[in-house]
Amino acid sequence: MTEFLEELRAALGAEHVLTGDDALRYGRDWMGHYIGHPLAVARPASTAGVAACVTLAARAGVAVVPIGGNTGLVGGTMTEGGLLVSLERMNRIREIRLDARLVIAEAGVVLQKIHEAAEDLGLYFPLWFGARGSAMLGGALSTNAGGSNVLRYGSTRGLCLGLEVVLADGRVLNLMSELHKDNSGYDLKQLFIGAEGTLGIITAAVMKLVPAPRAHATAVVAARALPQALALLNRMQEATGGRVEAFELMPADYARRLAEVRPDLGQPFAEIPGVTILIEAATTSEDEARPGPDGAVPLVTKLEEVLGAMLEEGLIGDAVIATSEASRRAIWARREAAAEICQGLAPYVDTDICLPVDRVDRFLTAAAARLDALDPGARTITVGHLGDGNLHFSVYPTREGLEQAVMETVEDLVAELGGSFSAEHGIGLSKLPSMRRRKDPVALDVMRAVKAALDPGGRMNPGKVIP
Amino acid sequence: MTEFLEELRAALGAEHVLTGDDALRYGRDWMGHYIGHPLAVARPASTAGVAACVTLAARAGVAVVPIGGNTGLVGGTMTEGGLLVSLERMNRIREIRLDARLVIAEAGVVLQKIHEAAEDLGLYFPLWFGARGSAMLGGALSTNAGGSNVLRYGSTRGLCLGLEVVLADGRVLNLMSELHKDNSGYDLKQLFIGAEGTLGIITAAVMKLVPAPRAHATAVVAARALPQALALLNRMQEATGGRVEAFELMPADYARRLAEVRPDLGQPFAEIPGVTILIEAATTSEDEARPGPDGAVPLVTKLEEVLGAMLEEGLIGDAVIATSEASRRAIWARREAAAEICQGLAPYVDTDICLPVDRVDRFLTAAAARLDALDPGARTITVGHLGDGNLHFSVYPTREGLEQAVMETVEDLVAELGGSFSAEHGIGLSKLPSMRRRKDPVALDVMRAVKAALDPGGRMNPGKVIP
């Protein structure tokens, strides 16, 4: 191993090969749930540098595990004795083009940097979630990250036009197409998106940008129950012809936890409602964004009309519409505190499930009943992208040892309702047992065949994704 | 082989195993460019039947080639001595759901049947192209077909939520997810979409539907030149906040050929302009669709305003707006005659290229110059989805023997401009030389590795896609 580390230092510069305590900082995930001991951390600054890491590691028989902003939630970068390849120095936006509406960026670019660069050109990069100030593009691609705007713009996969990947044998696969249509053989980039580094290391990508909205209409709404919330989504989509960008669910268990941990963020309603919804629509049309003589923005007026009618019909209890960018931000801050406020209670079982949208209500009702039978007094905190049917349903059992039973109870119910145990966080280590239990065995076999074909030595992030 | 055919007959029923002249009808593509001689044609009615075909063929060492509506343009179903598996009897819409906005259909369902079933529910299936009355879902998925609405709704890949596939070993891979987010391991369905049956046979799919537009605004426009045409696209997108669904290019060479072959379809302008554009916007918003007191539909008024301003500025020469569904259909009929009118001249070189949208103009100018140098007098017919940068640029050399040189000239130019030699028709046989010449060798190697992993016997549509 000494020789391997010497070769790495020669290739990257000694200061970019970290060992000991310096390496341990990278070995631990941000939540402290996964504490690994990497052999070393390499910090290449170029695609050629990443290729050198992979080639040298292959020769030494060392596993290679890529790491970006370390904001993952599933232990995807944990390693015992492998080489962590940090993409943090590959942080250049290579090109950003207004007319073509695209950005070409390296894997280590923090998402927020792309948001800012796009904004400077009057464009918008739709990949948006709480950790955007630390999460890096390569990690978002490798987990096919979701976020708050998937309803309107699709997930990371749908935003990616082209990809550059270092393969297990150190060769560079150049798929950096800028085209919206390119059917020249198998669409190989799809294999690496969501593969969590098990098939190769993503080093750069071509990502779509969209025109920046000229106006937003944002509200927080106390709905009677889930069906009435979904009626709000449908009515607003119909009224605006599909301008809803985010439709987020915060049930009472979430609001109560938020009040405990972050009282500074406030609560929109005097009493915590059973179902709180964050709805946001946006438009790029000047007609819909230009304030009228009375100062009212037409898109906001539409939201007011929809909410007003639903209030009169008794379908919603109350609603607060953002009147400024500051009040919009305050509404979002309560949603984006999710990752933070779900921490700190133990024992705990976190999930990232997806359900058909019209079955979310049945899930929540049935889950409460089954958990009550299993562990009366267990606490839950639920938050989710209701428009996509994606819930982060966290359970806090009353005692240690129930975690496995809770997870299986939730998974059983999800499977009964035609859902998935994994929506937008990835598999990593934490969802491996679910993959083993729940995934179609034929699909697992095909995944193993693809893995063996692309990484015959089994050195790319071994032990992740595929059980 | 007699034994194999007997086994097939026993599995499917004798009347569903065709040989001799009955089989030859399937062996010939609709243009008559590829005339193959299949050993037999099997017509299974179920996924289990398809699996039986694949299993029996594997045992007999016979190649398996799926065929749908036989509307392909690249020879993707041509076989000498293989078993053609026709999906035509797998023509059931298994389920269509208004609330979930999805359809679950078998591979042999003709696209138009899905269009009609969706329409009955007030929904729309966006996969729309000239051959929709014959093309089948399985073929559209296997070629990742494009069409006229990709600009707004994406290509077939983007509309697919779930897939059922019979693998090379006869096992059924069930990926029939109905979810909009599902990150449970590698997204295997992506491998089979666009693989033209070389990795397995698609037998069914879950496809997204969208709300049916309440109103269209459709016009045919004589633009000064390409840059002015693109200005029209940008202005209409800005005015409507992205409601443009189709933006089709018909240069003078196309209009002239249309006048020759289909004079019955008429011409919108007294003189054929250099650049004719078909633009169509659509809305699901009632406000934009409801006629005002003067009978004017607001979306149509917006199109009139955009066109009026551009007329005044001299950017466009003339425009005709559809005033009824009949006049809208007449405008579309001139576009949808493309496949028909490009036939009948020989020798000919057809292409299906994609370019960055802002480089289409440079391509057309440079292509004309280079072709003039190579073969003065060569004729061209160009038609395309300008909003996607996708051109069908057909060249008719003045004599036999120039086809290869013409193709390479076009490909050289496409490559120089950062484009692709294949956009939406697939590779099949006709684009194999282009794959060999133009595709990144590392990408070809990865494709071969994937192919070998999923079809180790090399019996699934052999000799297609990968050179």
Side-chain angles (χ1 to χ4, degrees):
Chain A
M1 285 306 118
T2 318
E3 195 188 337
F4 168 55
L5 292 177
E6 279 313 309
E7 288 170 337
L8 265 183
R9 290 191 185 102
L12 305 181
E15 69 276 31
H16 298 305
V17 180
L18 312 179
T19 53
D21 284 350
D22 289 339
L24 286 182
R25 278 193 298 120
Y26 292 77
R28 179 185 186 282
D29 80 316
W30 70 276
M31 297 178 301
H33 290 167
Y34 299 92
I35 299 173
H37 300 85
L39 172 69
V41 177
R43 305 192 307 160
S46 67
T47 306
V50 174
C53 292
V54 171
T55 308
L56 294 173
R59 211 181 294 157
V62 171
V64 177
V65 179
I67 183 167
N70 195 11
T71 62
L73 296 163
V74 294
T77 61
M78 152 98 172
T79 179
E80 290 294 342
L83 177 69
L84 271 184
V85 176
S86 166
L87 281 302
E88 68 197 307
R89 292 176 65 222
M90 291 198 64
N91 58 3
R92 278 190 321 131
I93 291 182
R94 291 185 187 164
E95 209 178 331
I96 183 164
R97 296 217 306 272
L98 175 62
D99 280 350
R101 286 186 191 153
L102 58 80
V103 57
I104 305 175
E106 295 177 343
V109 175
V110 171
L111 297 183
Q112 191 170 312
K113 188 169 161 185
I114 305 181
H115 291 135
E116 289 165 1
E119 203 182 316
D120 288 346
L121 293 181
L123 296 173
Y124 178 61
F125 181 51
L127 188 55
W128 191 273
F129 48 81
R132 65 188 174 276
S134 315
M136 293 175 186
L137 181 59
L141 283 160
S142 291
T143 52
N144 186 28
S148 302
N149 289 334
V150 173
L151 180 65
R152 175 77 172 265
Y153 301 105
S155 53
T156 310
R157 185 183 301 281
L159 298 172
C160 180
L161 294 173
L163 217 56
E164 182 188 83
V165 182
V166 172
L167 298 173
D169 60 8
R171 287 189 300 174
V172 178
L173 177 61
N174 183 346
L175 306 169
M176 293 290 273
S177 172
E178 300 178 10
L179 305 169
H180 286 256
K181 281 181 174 176
D182 189 356
N183 270 354
S184 50
Y186 307 156
D187 192 358
L188 295 176
K189 70 173 178 291
Q190 307 290 351
L191 267 180
F192 301 95
I193 298 171
E196 303 182 31
T198 60
L199 300 176
I201 299 181
I202 294 171
T203 48
V206 184
M207 304 297 292
K208 288 185 210 171
L209 301 173
V210 300
R214 291 172 190 269
H216 289 96
T218 311
V220 60
V221 182
R224 279 276 166 268
L226 258 292
Q228 289 75 22
L230 289 175
L232 167 60
L233 175 58
N234 290 337
R235 289 195 192 190
M236 190 61 188
Q237 290 289 47
E238 202 158 315
T240 61
R243 303 284 197 218
V244 178
E245 306 228 326
F247 196 77
E248 304 286 302
L249 171 68
M250 292 168 281
D253 59 3
Y254 182 86
R256 279 194 291 267
R257 176 69 178 165
L258 188 74
E260 271 173 39
V261 182
R262 292 295 304 270
D264 57 306
L265 294 179
Q267 294 277 340
F269 307 112
E271 263 177 67
I272 287 178
V275 172
T276 299
I277 294 290
L278 188 170
I279 183 171
E280 180 162 279
T283 183
T284 58
S285 150
E286 213 180 300
D287 287 358
E288 293 168 12
R290 196 190 308 113
D294 58 350
V297 172
L299 186 71
V300 178
T301 303
K302 269 198 182 163
L303 179 57
E304 284 170 351
E305 287 168 2
V306 167
L307 291 173
M310 291 188 74
L311 264 169
E312 265 185 41
E313 294 169 50
L315 301 173
I316 60 174
D318 202 353
V320 179
I321 297 183
T323 51
S324 65
E325 184 58 23
S327 60
R328 179 179 166 238
R329 282 284 132 228
I331 287 174
W332 271 106
R334 289 192 288 266
R335 169 64 184 84
E336 293 186 338
E340 178 191 344
I341 69 169
C342 289
Q343 305 296 311
L345 295 172
Y348 112 112
V349 177
D350 74 319
T351 69
D352 166 34
I353 59 180
C354 197
L355 295 151
V357 175
D358 53 353
R359 293 182 190 155
V360 170
D361 194 24
R362 271 164 68 190
F363 170 81
L364 289 174
T365 307
R370 292 193 195 179
L371 287 174
D372 195 47
L374 180 72
D375 181 20
R379 182 174 186 174
T380 62
I381 303 178
T382 313
V383 64
H385 310 293
L386 184 59
D388 308 316
N390 178 195
L391 295 184
H392 304 301
F393 176 75
S394 299
V395 184
Y396 305 83
T398 53
R399 60 183 191 279
E400 301 267 343
L402 287 173
E403 293 91 333
Q404 183 67 13
V406 165
M407 182 62 95
E408 296 209 25
T409 299
V410 172
E411 277 180 14
D412 280 342
L413 187 54
V414 168
E416 285 166 33
L417 296 172
S420 171
F421 56 85
S422 176
E424 61 171 13
H425 292 169
I427 302 297
L429 290 174
S430 75
K431 301 286 189 299
L432 272 186
S434 309
M435 281 288 277
R436 191 176 294 116
R437 282 192 298 262
R438 305 287 172 177
K439 194 75 189 174
D440 177 38
V442 179
L444 286 176
D445 274 358
V446 175
M447 289 182 205
R448 288 188 188 105
V450 169
K451 168 79 175 170
L454 269 70
D455 177 25
R459 262 187 301 270
M460 306 306 287
N461 206 1
K464 312 287 165 59
V465 181
I466 307 177
Chain B
M1 287 305 119
T2 318
E3 197 191 334
F4 168 55
L5 293 177
E6 280 313 308
E7 289 170 337
L8 265 184
R9 289 189 186 105
L12 305 182
E15 69 275 31
H16 298 305
V17 181
L18 312 179
T19 54
D21 284 351
D22 289 339
L24 286 182
R25 278 192 300 120
Y26 291 78
R28 178 186 186 282
D29 79 316
W30 71 276
M31 298 178 300
H33 291 166
Y34 298 93
I35 300 174
H37 299 83
L39 172 69
V41 176
R43 305 192 306 161
S46 67
T47 306
V50 175
C53 293
V54 171
T55 308
L56 294 173
R59 213 181 293 157
V62 171
V64 176
V65 179
I67 183 167
N70 194 13
T71 62
L73 297 161
V74 294
T77 61
M78 153 97 171
T79 178
E80 290 295 342
L83 176 69
L84 271 184
V85 176
S86 165
L87 281 302
E88 66 195 308
R89 291 176 67 222
M90 291 198 63
N91 58 4
R92 278 190 321 132
I93 292 182
R94 291 184 187 165
E95 208 179 332
I96 182 163
R97 294 217 309 272
L98 175 63
D99 280 350
R101 284 184 192 156
L102 58 81
V103 57
I104 305 176
E106 295 178 342
V109 175
V110 171
L111 298 183
Q112 192 170 313
K113 188 169 159 184
I114 305 181
H115 291 135
E116 290 164 1
E119 204 182 314
D120 288 346
L121 294 181
L123 296 174
Y124 178 61
F125 181 50
L127 187 55
W128 191 271
F129 48 80
R132 63 187 175 278
S134 315
M136 293 174 186
L137 181 60
L141 283 159
S142 292
T143 52
N144 186 25
S148 301
N149 289 335
V150 173
L151 179 64
R152 174 78 172 263
Y153 301 104
S155 52
T156 310
R157 186 183 300 280
L159 298 172
C160 180
L161 294 173
L163 217 56
E164 181 188 85
V165 182
V166 172
L167 299 174
D169 60 9
R171 286 190 299 173
V172 178
L173 177 61
N174 183 347
L175 306 168
M176 294 289 273
S177 172
E178 300 178 11
L179 305 170
H180 286 257
K181 281 180 172 176
D182 188 357
N183 270 354
S184 51
Y186 306 157
D187 191 0
L188 295 176
K189 70 173 179 291
Q190 307 290 351
L191 267 180
F192 301 94
I193 298 171
E196 303 184 31
T198 60
L199 300 176
I201 299 182
I202 293 172
T203 48
V206 184
M207 304 297 293
K208 288 184 210 171
L209 302 173
V210 300
R214 291 172 190 269
H216 289 96
T218 311
V220 59
V221 181
R224 281 275 166 267
L226 258 292
Q228 289 75 23
L230 289 175
L232 166 60
L233 175 58
N234 290 339
R235 288 195 191 190
M236 190 62 188
Q237 290 288 47
E238 201 158 316
T240 61
R243 304 282 197 217
V244 178
E245 305 229 326
F247 197 77
E248 304 286 301
L249 171 68
M250 292 169 281
D253 58 2
Y254 181 87
R256 278 193 292 267
R257 175 68 177 166
L258 187 74
E260 272 172 40
V261 182
R262 293 293 306 270
D264 57 305
L265 294 179
Q267 292 277 340
F269 307 113
E271 264 178 67
I272 287 178
V275 172
T276 299
I277 293 290
L278 189 172
I279 182 171
E280 179 162 280
T283 183
T284 58
S285 150
E286 214 180 301
D287 287 357
E288 293 168 12
R290 195 189 307 114
D294 58 350
V297 172
L299 185 71
V300 178
T301 304
K302 269 200 181 160
L303 179 58
E304 284 171 351
E305 287 168 4
V306 167
L307 291 172
M310 292 187 72
L311 264 168
E312 265 185 40
E313 294 169 50
L315 301 173
I316 60 173
D318 202 353
V320 178
I321 297 183
T323 52
S324 66
E325 184 59 21
S327 61
R328 178 180 167 237
R329 281 284 132 226
I331 288 173
W332 271 106
R334 290 193 288 267
R335 170 62 185 87
E336 293 187 337
E340 178 192 344
I341 71 170
C342 289
Q343 304 296 309
L345 297 172
Y348 111 114
V349 177
D350 74 319
T351 68
D352 166 35
I353 58 181
C354 197
L355 295 151
V357 175
D358 53 353
R359 293 182 191 156
V360 171
D361 195 24
R362 271 165 67 190
F363 169 81
L364 289 173
T365 308
R370 292 193 196 179
L371 288 173
D372 196 47
L374 180 70
D375 179 20
R379 181 174 187 174
T380 62
I381 304 178
T382 313
V383 64
H385 310 293
L386 183 59
D388 309 316
N390 177 194
L391 295 184
H392 304 302
F393 177 75
S394 299
V395 184
Y396 305 84
T398 54
R399 59 182 193 281
E400 302 267 345
L402 286 172
E403 294 91 333
Q404 183 67 17
V406 166
M407 182 61 96
E408 296 209 25
T409 299
V410 173
E411 278 179 13
D412 281 343
L413 187 53
V414 168
E416 286 166 32
L417 296 172
S420 170
F421 56 85
S422 177
E424 60 171 13
H425 291 167
I427 302 298
L429 290 173
S430 75
K431 302 286 189 297
L432 272 185
S434 309
M435 282 287 279
R436 191 176 292 115
R437 284 191 298 263
R438 304 290 170 176
K439 194 72 190 176
D440 176 39
V442 179
L444 286 175
D445 274 358
V446 175
M447 288 182 206
R448 288 190 190 104
V450 169
K451 169 78 175 169
L454 268 69
D455 178 26
R459 262 187 301 270
M460 305 307 287
N461 207 1
K464 312 290 165 56
V465 182
I466 308 176

